[in-house]
Every structure is written in C-alpha cells, then in structure tokens.
Amino acid sequence: MRPLRRQMHIVFQDPYSSLNPRMTVGEIVGGPLVHHRIGSRRDARKRVAEMLERVGLRADLQDRYPHSLSGGQRQRIAIARALVLGPTLLVADEPISALDASVQASMLNLLVDLQREMQFACLFITHDLSAAQFLADRIAVMYLGQIVETGTREAIFAAPRHPYTQSLLSAVLIPDPVIQRQRGRFVLTGDPPSPLAPPAGCRFHTRCPIAVERCRTEPPELLEPAGGTHFARCHLVGPNGEPPLLPGLAEPAGVA
Ligand code: SF4
C-alpha cells in the first residue's frame, strides 16, 4: 500500500484537531517526506518552504507551532501537508465548513488554483451547494450512505432528476423574488433514518412525497435511461430521463 498511499492524501474538516500541537509547521508539512523517505533533511526544509509559499503562507512559519496560527492558516498547512508529495488524488472532507465565511472563498480559490497547477483529482465532500457549484466538474449526491444521483455540475444544477436533489436545490434561495415565487419551494419533512438500519426498498421512501408502493419494496438502481452521463436512483424517472415533479414545484427545482 505504501506506493499507493503516496498518490492519495486527505484534508480533514477541522484544522484545529487535524494538526499535532506538539509538532512545528515544518515537521507537519514535511512529515510525509520523512515517512516515505524522500530526500535529505535539508531538501525537506526547502520543499516545505516551497509548499508553504504555494499555499499562500510565509516560508518562515516552519518553526512555529499550530496554536499560534489562525484557522485559515492551519487549513492551508493541512493542504500543504496533503500536497507535498504531489499526489494524484486529494480527498477534501468538508475543508471549509469549520472556517469563517470570510476565509471560505479564499480557500476555495486556493484549491482551484492548486488543482490547475498541480493537476490532481479532487474529491470534495461538502454540504455547501454553492461550494459544489463553484468547484465541481461532476457531482454525486448522497443520501443515507448511497449515491442517489450523479452527473455534470450543469446537469445536476439545471435539471435534477432525483426527488432528494430537487428538495435540496429548491431550498436554495434565488435573489430575484419574482423567479423565486414562480419556481415554488418544496420543504422536506422528517429526519433521515439510521444508516445502520436503512429502510427496505428505496432508502428515501420514508421521506419522499411521491413514493409509490414499489418504492417500499424494490431498491431502485442508479440508472441513466437517456444513455448519457446523468444517473439517478429513482423508479419514477421517465424513459428519457424526465424527472418526477415534487408537490409545490412548477418544474424540477434547478437553480442554474
Ligand atoms: S424511488 Fe420512489 S421513494 Fe425513491 S426517490 Fe423515487 S419516487 Fe421517491
């Protein structure tokens, strides 16, 4: 697994608990180089300094400890640590949710710039729809541990097919009150069941307002009836990918 692990790194949600407070910034960012026995100690310091500058920090932060840094700076250090080996895959697990709103946008821009420069694939996990819309080429929507819809960003935001995706997007407010009134709104009720004992049939049927008898017994497959790249897990998607309509919505609740 060691050569494979070199190719995959992760940035965790909380920059306050994902950095060891007893290690200096240099030791944290250089940790993967030491672990994979890459270069000498002097090379590691140079590489760490380059990496810090690449994520928008001063190279002389190397000798500081995480407690003296802000949340945004800590998350940049976590990103530097994840990218110091030049991985091909970065998993970013809600990397902006613990940060102030003022820092979130700069962190998203940083990720986009780094991805363009370093050419890695990024699996960005988020609850923030606007972050997904800003960053993603492809989106997979999950409910209760299962992908219920996947497609390009444009397809998901303009014409969502699964009722869960539609309910998520209908909750996004549109700044124009006329359009907002016209499109209607669907509010999902109830709480998600326990993922340890998911419901039989479609996992969403306990909250789906248009569930039919078949939904309670037969699990839907992730299908693309139109033969394209937009897949949804719902029995009621039409033969050409037509989405089912939720009550209260004038049309499937896209926001694009
Ligand atoms: S399969 Fe049935 S319960 Fe599941 S999302 Fe579609 S309509 Fe709703």
Side-chain angles (χ1 to χ4, degrees):
M1 287 295 287
R2 190 182 280 250
L4 198 56
R5 286 202 184 103
R6 229 181 117 164
Q7 299 299 322
M8 308 180 287
H9 283 274
I10 185 162
V11 175
F12 297 97
Q13 182 172 7
D14 181 5
Y16 289 87
S17 59
S18 65
L19 304 181
N20 187 336
R22 291 166 194 268
M23 291 169 76
T24 63
V25 169
E27 288 167 339
I28 291 169
V29 177
L33 298 169
V34 174
H35 184 73
H36 288 273
R37 300 191 187 99
I38 295 170
S40 64
R41 198 174 277 262
R42 183 182 295 183
D43 292 340
R45 264 194 89 78
K46 195 161 156 255
R47 180 87 185 108
V48 168
E50 279 168 16
M51 216 45 241
L52 289 177
E53 282 173 357
R54 232 167 172 173
V55 298
L57 294 172
R58 292 195 327 265
D60 63 9
L61 288 184
Q62 286 212 50
D63 298 316
R64 300 262 293 269
Y65 285 87
H67 71 81
S68 64
L69 305 173
S70 69
Q73 287 174 316
R74 289 177 196 220
Q75 201 58 311
R76 284 172 192 264
I77 287 164
I79 292 171
R81 172 178 61 185
L83 296 180
V84 74
L85 292 177
T88 50
L89 172 66
L90 178 73
V91 178
D93 183 9
E94 301 220 41
I96 58 168
S97 60
L99 303 177
D100 285 350
S102 59
V103 185
Q104 290 184 350
S106 64
M107 206 57 70
L108 290 178
N109 282 325
L110 173 67
L111 275 174
V112 169
D113 292 344
L114 288 169
Q115 193 187 21
R116 205 169 292 145
E117 253 176 63
M118 299 179 71
Q119 299 282 308
F120 53 85
C122 181
L123 177 64
F124 188 90
I125 300 160
T126 185
H127 283 97
D128 182 340
L129 292 170
S130 48
Q133 191 173 22
F134 177 73
L135 270 184
D137 298 312
R138 288 190 63 80
I139 293 178
V141 181
M142 295 191 73
Y143 181 79
L144 222 56
Q146 215 175 37
I147 291 178
V148 294
E149 180 162 1
T150 175
T152 60
R153 170 186 50 191
E154 294 76 16
I156 297 280
F157 275 88
R161 289 182 178 173
H162 194 279
Y164 180 58
T165 317
Q166 288 192 45
S167 67
L168 290 179
L169 294 184
S170 95
V172 175
L173 293 175
I174 289 183
D176 185 327
V178 178
I179 299 179
Q180 176 63 31
R181 259 194 305 277
Q182 278 167 359
R183 75 199 275 263
R185 189 151 185 233
F186 171 74
V187 179
L188 198 58
T189 55
D191 294 318
S194 164
L196 296 176
C202 174
R203 291 186 178 195
F204 188 55
H205 86 253
T206 53
R207 301 175 77 199
C208 182
I210 52 172
V212 294
E213 194 48 42
R214 182 182 175 202
C215 305
R216 292 177 234 290
T217 53
E218 190 183 325
E221 305 219 357
L222 193 62
L223 296 175
E224 162 52 306
T229 58
H230 187 173
F231 291 77
R233 194 184 289 281
C234 175
H235 292 310
L236 300 191
V237 171
N240 295 310
E242 305 89 334
L245 199 56
L246 293 185
L249 295 184
E251 56 186 43
V255 293

